[in-house]
Amino acid sequence: MTENTKIPSFDLTRNYARVKEEVNVAVLRVLDTQHFILGPEVEALEKEIAAYLEVKNAVGCASGTDALVLALMALDLKPGDEVITTPFTFFATVSCITRNGATPVFADVDPVTYNIKSEDILAKITPRTRAVLPVHLFGQMCPLEEIKDELKSRGIALIEDCAQAIGAHRMIDGRVARSGSVGDMGCFSFFPTKNLGCYGDGGMVSIADNPEFAQRVKNLRVHGAGKTYFHEEVGINSRLDALQAAILRVRLRHLEGWNEERRIVAERYMTLFAEKGLLELITPPAELAGGRHVYHQYVIRAQRRDELQKFLDERGVTSRVYYPLPLHLQHCFSYLGYAKGDFPVSEMLADEVLALPMFPELLPEEQERVVNEIADFYGVGK
């Protein structure tokens, strides 16, 4: 690697090289069957994901967005119903609430973990609250043990947005509780850049222990049909295809190892930041006690963020901003009546966060170069 080589924010080609032969076998297996939509490969993946998460059921669908749509459809939301969520997340989290006819209610986030704050959730509950939709952002679980029992006692559904956090867990009641296993349902994305990504679009809904939810989501993903051409209700077309399922089955076998490699990359960043004297100028992500962060993204808070990003780009280091405008300030949600200043932590993070290169195959020398460039920008560590 030369100093002129571009360092990507992620590199799927390196990862593919590690599993190419296994993936080729899986794809050819599907091609030989000529069974491409749902079917045995999808059923096998659903069972394997359910076993990995330690939940009763998992239902494959076409994308992470559809997973959210389907989970919320299963709740039979009506106009006037409220769903509490975070304004500091990807757009789909909130658009899926509005697409189901409900009203998003925002609660601010923690400046250390970037995740929605439990006390803020509880403060926003009203008689109209039907669900809470926390996002396990950037690979770290929210401490759902702080709200789960209270929500259950009030009859409020807990739907986890796990799109960025497959494999993350918390210790709850003395056991490992993976993301997607704590709430009533969990929603996963298999977009190619995710920790467990396929080679196209894909998603899944995990259902902890409610067989009625599981059957409902299965029906809703095929136009609301309990059996072919007999429709109990109006659903959507959101089927996971067999090729993606076969690829995911291969990649699932490697997920734990890849997540550990991401954690090693994160530890190395921390060491390099300390060695360069950068910890007064940037704030690394923090792992909450009792949890396991799987670093879907490695997101720092940085002084003069926009200038730093431009500096890094000019020197061949790719970085990204997740997310530049909180959802309560997006034009399409202006009808909700929120204004600048309503969620100060989310707004502060939008001005400060920067995602550095993060993927299992990121080389130590690439990380050193990233950190050296950051040190050069701030004029420290020389």
Side-chain angles (χ1 to χ4, degrees):
M1 183 184 71
T2 68
E3 287 300 310
N4 295 324
T5 304
K6 187 95 170 169
I7 300 177
S9 56
F10 50 84
D11 187 342
L12 298 178
T13 60
R14 299 187 202 183
N15 187 266
Y16 174 55
R18 301 172 71 178
V19 293
K20 183 176 181 178
E21 296 306 317
E22 293 175 78
V23 167
N24 287 349
V25 169
V27 168
L28 288 174
R29 182 176 69 238
V30 175
L31 295 179
D32 284 341
T33 69
Q34 290 292 291
H35 194 146
F36 296 117
I37 303 297
L38 296 177
E41 289 287 347
V42 173
E43 292 171 7
L45 175 68
E46 290 171 337
K47 290 177 181 177
E48 289 162 9
I49 292 284
Y52 175 73
L53 300 177
E54 297 184 350
V55 297
K56 293 291 180 63
N57 289 282
V59 181
C61 59
S63 69
T65 298
D66 279 2
L68 289 162
V69 170
L70 289 163
L72 292 172
M73 286 180 76
L75 300 181
D76 292 318
L77 298 174
K78 303 181 298 297
D81 289 342
E82 295 176 348
V83 179
I84 299 171
T85 193
T86 166
F88 191 64
T89 181
F90 181 61
F91 179 79
T93 305
V94 178
S95 69
C96 295
I97 298 170
T98 62
R99 286 175 63 185
N100 272 277
T103 301
V105 174
F106 293 119
D108 213 351
V109 301
D110 182 89
V112 175
T113 66
Y114 316 140
N115 278 334
I116 192 168
K117 293 180 69 174
S118 299
E119 55 266 39
D120 285 17
I121 290 173
L122 297 177
K124 293 297 179 75
I125 293 175
T126 75
R128 295 181 297 279
T129 304
R130 288 288 315 282
V132 170
L133 180 54
V135 179
H136 303 314
L137 199 65
F138 303 144
Q140 176 157 227
M141 275 187 72
C142 304
L144 299 182
E145 66 274 14
E146 297 176 353
I147 62 171
K148 179 183 178 181
D149 292 343
E150 179 68 17
L151 296 182
K152 185 175 182 180
S153 71
R154 298 191 188 201
I156 298 170
L158 178 57
I159 311 297
E160 301 174 61
D161 185 336
C162 311
Q164 301 182 11
I166 190 165
H169 70 239
R170 290 194 59 75
M171 295 300 298
I172 300 177
D173 297 329
R175 61 177 289 272
V176 170
R178 297 192 191 278
S179 65
S181 71
V182 180
D184 296 285
M185 288 180 275
C187 303
F188 293 87
S189 168
F190 300 134
F191 189 77
T193 58
K194 295 297 194 288
N195 293 37
L196 179 62
C198 57
Y199 297 160
D201 265 320
M204 188 161 287
V205 179
S206 61
I207 300 96
D209 61 3
N210 188 321
E212 293 180 6
F213 278 154
Q215 189 59 54
R216 188 85 187 282
V217 172
K218 285 181 180 179
N219 292 355
L220 286 166
R221 72 176 173 180
V222 288
H223 299 289
K227 60 180 181 177
T228 305
Y229 303 128
F230 292 84
H231 302 268
E232 303 298 325
E233 59 185 317
V234 177
I236 62 174
N237 178 22
S238 183
R239 301 169 299 196
L240 182 61
D241 72 71
L243 280 168
Q244 300 303 341
I247 291 165
L248 287 164
R249 292 182 67 196
V250 170
R251 295 176 59 77
L252 178 62
R253 297 198 292 265
H254 299 276
L255 176 63
E256 282 295 296
W258 291 340
N259 279 344
E260 281 305 310
E261 290 173 0
R262 287 175 178 271
R263 289 175 57 81
I264 290 169
V265 170
E267 290 174 10
R268 189 179 296 121
Y269 268 132
M270 179 65 83
T271 299
L272 292 169
F273 290 145
E275 289 176 352
K276 286 291 184 179
L278 284 165
L279 294 177
E280 296 298 318
L281 296 159
I282 63 102
T283 304
E287 184 174 66
L288 192 64
R292 177 187 185 236
H293 202 316
V294 294
Y295 296 99
H296 171 59
Q297 303 289 350
Y298 189 88
V299 180
I300 64 171
R301 291 170 54 196
Q303 297 179 23
R304 297 160 50 206
R305 189 271 312 280
D306 293 343
E307 295 174 53
L308 173 60
Q309 185 178 32
K310 183 174 183 292
F311 182 92
L312 292 175
D313 184 63
E314 290 170 349
R315 284 153 182 80
V317 175
T318 305
S319 61
R320 296 172 183 267
V321 175
Y322 305 106
Y323 298 95
L325 185 66
L327 295 181
H328 69 287
L329 299 178
Q330 297 281 351
H331 176 72
C332 64
F333 296 132
S334 59
Y335 71 94
L336 295 172
Y338 293 110
K340 190 171 179 61
D342 285 346
F343 302 101
V345 178
S346 295
E347 293 168 26
M348 175 190 69
L349 292 176
D351 290 336
E352 296 183 359
V353 293
L354 189 65
L356 301 181
M358 165 56 78
F359 49 97
E361 299 81 17
L362 188 65
L363 300 173
E365 54 265 35
E366 290 176 313
Q367 285 189 264
E368 290 172 9
R369 184 175 145 204
V370 171
V371 175
N372 285 339
E373 297 291 4
I374 295 173
D376 285 349
F377 173 77
Y378 288 116
V380 300
K382 294 182 179 178

